[in-house]
Amino acid sequence: MRTPNRFTGANAKSEAANSAIQLLTYATKHYKPNRGAVTRDTPAVYSENGVDWKHVEAFEYDAAEPRMRLILEAKGKPLWIAHTPPYMDRNLAALEKWAKTKPGFRVETIGRTVDGRPLRLWTIGDGPRVAWLMFRQHSWETGSSWVAEGLVKELLANLPKQLTVKMFPLCDPDGVERGGVRFNKFGYDLNRNWDVNGVEKMPEITAQLAAIKRWLDSGKKIDLFYSLHNTETSEYLEGPPGGAYKELAERFFHLLESGTSFAPTRKLFFSETKVDPGRMVVIQGLYRDFQLPGFLMEQRISRHPKYGRLPLVEDRLRFGRELAVTIAKLLTP
Ligand SMILES: [Zn+2]
């Protein structure tokens, strides 16, 4: 599978704080075409009904091209093949429809994508302690959406009174619709460019940043910010820039490691404080602008040591429930 990893966004029209030339320099440096997201460690999934997904039983992998030849027996038509089990807007719409029937769930549209799709902000609960969560900044990382679904179901069943959870459940609906990888329609990585924030080219970042700013300007606080991602083979928690909120970070890391399936491939570490123009991730941007305690977590899609297998949808849903419990423990001890 070839990854359409392209960059077309940095041009002179962007409202970049940094000059277009500087951005183009960094674009050339960072946005190299990907040789392929599929690796020997991350076999494809397939489905015969579009709902139940499993990994291919056998495959041949040629790292030189790279190319994966799937060996499976299809019992009928149709047959779907994907990198990871898809989570589409219709999955999100179904979850939202269900959640709306529960007390304590609210939904707002905070803006529109480049293609005009609504950007949602969900709020659960009304307590004084506030967690703000973020999912699918990168459209290929479907695992994080299944986690979000498990988390929402747990919160709506067992939300502590002291807690409010706000979340951007799906940050790049255009990318999800077109089968994108990391970039919005204009080629901007929605988990970089938090220092650039152009209304015209990055309406997604602009809307998310504005929603957070409105909340803080109204006198409310955010006790924890968390953005979840997927990688091929690594799993980790990255804390606020420069070691800020160290005690909270250590407690969060410990609770994740002991109370969930989080199986880190590296120790807790903290974001860099210095960032190349056009490379600032959300937790760095929110720390710079509002000193928020932001965390970025990656979950692997390769074989998982705590599951003893390649992660399935049910594992993501379960981690979502565990994450909800962990956040409640962390913020409402
Ligand atoms: Zn990501």
Side-chain angles (χ1 to χ4, degrees):
M1 185 195 295
R2 289 248 170 221
T3 310
N5 197 350
R6 65 204 164 76
F7 183 86
T8 54
N11 62 37
K13 279 187 193 160
S14 79
E15 295 175 17
N18 305 290
S19 75
I21 290 169
Q22 218 177 2
L23 266 178
L24 278 169
T25 306
Y26 285 107
T28 311
K29 182 175 152 194
H30 291 290
Y31 291 80
K32 301 270 197 241
N34 193 316
R35 293 188 63 243
V38 170
T39 70
R40 195 186 301 282
D41 298 316
T42 57
V45 291
Y46 72 100
S47 173
E48 291 177 274
N49 60 11
V51 177
D52 304 306
W53 294 85
K54 53 185 176 180
H55 292 88
V56 293
E57 283 89 9
F59 62 90
E60 291 164 5
Y61 183 69
D62 175 7
E65 184 147 353
R67 182 175 56 183
M68 180 173 278
R69 185 161 165 257
L70 312 178
I71 302 161
L72 56 93
E73 192 184 340
K75 294 183 186 68
K77 290 180 187 175
L79 179 74
W80 285 276
I81 293 172
H83 187 35
T84 56
Y87 192 101
M88 293 166 284
D89 195 63
R90 67 168 174 267
N91 298 94
L92 192 78
L95 177 62
E96 186 178 277
K97 191 176 169 196
W98 171 82
K100 275 176 164 172
T101 67
K102 305 287 171 190
F105 180 87
R106 306 182 291 288
V107 56
E108 295 161 62
T109 297
I110 54 158
R112 301 257 162 199
T113 65
V114 174
D115 274 346
R117 294 191 173 85
L119 290 161
R120 297 164 164 98
L121 169 62
W122 290 353
T123 303
I124 301 173
D126 203 15
R129 302 284 282 164
V130 181
W132 198 305
L133 316 178
M134 186 175 213
F135 300 91
R136 291 298 275 290
Q137 285 184 290
H138 296 138
S139 51
W140 83 263
E141 296 165 17
T142 62
S144 80
S145 279
W146 292 109
V147 170
E149 176 147 338
L151 174 129
V152 165
K153 290 189 166 164
E154 172 65 27
L155 288 175
L156 286 172
N158 297 308
L159 184 78
K161 277 196 170 35
Q162 309 95 299
L163 201 58
T164 297
V165 175
K166 300 187 77 76
M167 57 193 282
F168 300 127
L170 203 158
C171 296
D172 183 17
D174 289 355
V176 170
E177 174 71 24
R178 95 175 164 265
V181 181
R182 295 180 69 86
F183 308 123
N184 82 348
K185 190 168 180 184
F186 287 130
Y188 284 96
D189 185 323
L190 295 180
N191 193 36
R192 300 293 183 274
N193 300 298
W194 277 73
D195 51 337
V196 181
N197 182 29
V199 176
E200 201 182 314
K201 298 292 183 187
M202 287 165 270
E204 298 88 359
I205 292 177
T206 306
Q208 291 151 8
L209 194 56
I212 291 166
K213 189 169 186 309
R214 271 197 306 279
W215 175 260
L216 295 170
D217 285 350
S218 74
K220 308 269 183 41
K221 55 180 185 145
I222 297 173
D223 299 296
L224 178 84
F225 185 92
Y226 171 92
S227 177
L228 182 63
H229 291 255
N230 288 122
T231 69
E232 311 303 317
T233 56
S234 56
E235 190 153 310
Y236 58 79
L237 183 72
E238 177 177 349
Y245 298 101
K246 191 161 181 282
E247 198 193 316
L248 177 75
E250 283 171 352
R251 227 152 41 83
F252 191 24
F253 186 87
H254 173 72
L255 284 173
L256 283 169
E257 205 181 15
S258 58
T260 79
S261 60
F262 177 53
T265 52
R266 62 183 290 188
K267 290 189 175 126
L268 171 69
F269 68 103
F270 294 86
S271 275
E272 298 290 331
T273 46
K274 285 215 153 101
V275 191
D276 289 349
R279 297 294 297 165
M280 188 176 276
V281 306
V282 58
I283 62 171
Q284 292 168 322
L286 295 180
Y287 187 76
R288 185 194 64 172
D289 295 346
F290 312 114
Q291 291 76 56
L292 290 189
F295 293 83
L296 194 147
M297 186 176 144
E298 296 277 3
Q299 272 193 309
R300 56 159 79 71
I301 63 165
S302 59
R303 191 176 187 282
H304 196 285
K306 285 193 181 172
Y307 307 141
R309 59 166 187 245
L310 291 155
L312 302 170
V313 167
E314 69 205 56
D315 300 317
R316 303 304 189 196
L317 291 168
R318 189 172 61 244
F319 177 73
R321 296 196 298 272
E322 294 167 349
L323 179 62
V325 171
T326 298
I327 289 171
K329 264 191 205 158
L330 181 67
L331 295 186
T332 62

